[in-house]
Amino acid sequence: MILLFVMALAFVYLAALRLLGVDGNRFVAALIALTPYWAVAGLVLGVLSLAFRHWWIGGIVTVAALALAGVVVPRVIPSAQPQVHGATLRVMSSNQYLGHADVQTIVRLVRDNHVDVLNLLELTRREAAEFERAGLFDLLPYRVFKPQGGGAGSGIASRYPVTELSLAGPSMMEQPSARIEVGATAVEIVAVHPVPPTTSALIWRQEMGGLPRAPGSGPVRILAGDFNSTLDHATFRSLLDSGYTDAGESRGAGLVRTWPSSPFPPPVTIDHVLVDARAAVRDYRVLDVPKSDHKAVFAELTLP
């Protein structure tokens, strides 16, 4: 009975943090990322409690678990898209795992999926040179590359000419941005890579807060990369609520996990393509990349 009570209390506390939008410190932020797992665990705990006739514990835990399920389940239901008929833009993002991800696979994915814009996170100078030798710039000849040692580098490669911008606020890792013209539509792209909240929840919130909000008018804006955030983090939802659509969630793939590629720690969805709500998401996929701890994310969009 005591063990059951302690487990129920811990679960209800975590559920309350998620439902109230409290990301907390780095430990809480890590636990919030596991909300889909907690929802399932809570349902099991609630059913077991009821089966053993602990009515109050079972009832409270089951209600909290159903509330969590209520915020998780919609991610597997595709949403309606705006009726737009502009140009098609295909965007892919890949975390290169300190420059170790397989370059040939990335180039093949770009070619096979007719990618127009590629965001690369954790891009090193060595790997940037490998991309040139592998023919990436024959497919995407324009770029804003900021390679660095370790995981600090990032880059944008594009089929269309780019104008470098500075849309993201200060950050420990490079977050380049660029403007492209796709037919008659101007598009602004940001390669996103804030620090993980497990490194510093305060800096993570600051860097997430420095990402540009959706404009509402003018150029269409797309943020793609490793956000080190899930849909369960209030900090991420605040950015989303400014006028973006999460491409995965909008296509019913919001629970397809992107990191890590291994079974442990429990995989979560921290790589995203956020799309200006004026554009439509026609396709979304999560793609395997050998030698990376992340999977790549791909979205096909129709621009207004």
Side-chain angles (χ1 to χ4, degrees):
M1 175 65 177
I2 295 177
L3 177 61
L4 186 64
F5 177 78
V6 170
M7 293 172 63
L9 187 63
F11 171 75
V12 171
Y13 176 70
L14 286 169
L17 290 176
R18 165 59 183 90
L19 296 170
L20 294 173
V22 179
D23 288 336
N25 59 26
R26 60 195 184 108
F27 301 107
V28 172
L31 292 172
I32 293 294
L34 301 175
T35 293
Y37 298 98
W38 290 119
V40 174
L43 288 171
V44 172
L45 180 61
V47 169
L48 286 175
S49 299
L50 293 172
F52 285 103
R53 299 177 183 269
H54 298 298
W55 306 117
W56 278 104
I57 293 176
I60 292 171
V61 168
T62 300
V63 169
L66 289 173
L68 285 187
V71 301
V72 170
V73 169
R75 298 173 201 174
V76 302
I77 303 172
S79 58
Q81 300 296 317
Q83 297 300 309
V84 292
H85 307 284
T88 296
L89 182 69
R90 299 176 183 89
V91 178
M92 189 172 90
S93 173
S94 175
N95 184 306
Q96 297 301 100
Y97 190 31
L98 307 176
H100 297 309
D102 187 71
V103 166
Q104 295 292 341
T105 297
I106 296 294
V107 174
R108 177 180 57 79
L109 290 173
V110 168
R111 181 183 298 109
D112 292 350
N113 292 285
H114 308 288
V115 171
D116 299 303
V117 177
L118 171 66
N119 286 3
L120 295 167
L121 302 316
E122 300 193 14
L123 177 68
T124 63
R125 295 181 180 87
R126 175 194 57 77
E127 195 176 46
E130 288 186 12
F131 273 119
E132 184 167 14
R133 290 192 293 271
L136 176 65
F137 305 138
D138 295 333
L139 302 169
L140 306 176
Y142 306 98
R143 58 192 179 274
V144 177
F145 268 25
K146 296 182 180 295
Q148 299 286 347
S154 296
I156 301 171
S158 169
R159 190 179 306 277
Y160 303 99
V162 299
T163 300
E164 184 174 357
L165 303 175
S166 182
L167 295 175
S171 58
M172 295 179 66
M173 295 180 282
E174 297 285 357
Q175 298 191 101
S177 53
R179 176 178 173 139
I180 63 175
E181 304 286 339
V182 185
T185 305
V187 179
E188 295 174 345
I189 307 283
V190 183
V192 176
H193 197 200
V195 299
T198 49
T199 297
S200 169
L202 175 62
I203 296 175
W204 168 68
R205 278 192 287 268
Q206 290 173 342
E207 294 188 359
M208 287 290 293
L211 293 173
R213 270 38 192 171
S217 61
V220 173
R221 187 168 290 163
I222 299 167
L223 313 183
D226 173 6
F227 288 74
N228 280 309
S229 311
T230 73
L231 285 159
D232 291 300
H233 289 114
T235 302
F236 180 81
R237 294 196 307 277
S238 175
L239 175 63
L240 195 63
D241 290 344
S242 72
Y244 290 111
T245 297
D246 183 278
E249 183 183 31
S250 74
R251 300 308 303 170
L255 290 179
V256 179
R257 295 157 294 186
T258 66
W259 177 89
S261 299
S262 60
F264 188 84
V268 292
T269 307
I270 61 174
D271 299 89
H272 305 270
V273 180
L274 298 194
V275 182
D276 192 311
R278 293 172 291 168
V281 181
R282 301 304 182 194
D283 188 20
Y284 173 82
R285 279 173 268 156
V286 174
L287 307 168
D288 290 326
V289 178
K291 300 181 182 178
S292 176
D293 59 339
H294 287 250
K295 296 185 178 182
V297 290
F298 166 88
E300 181 178 308
L301 316 174
T302 299
L303 302 176

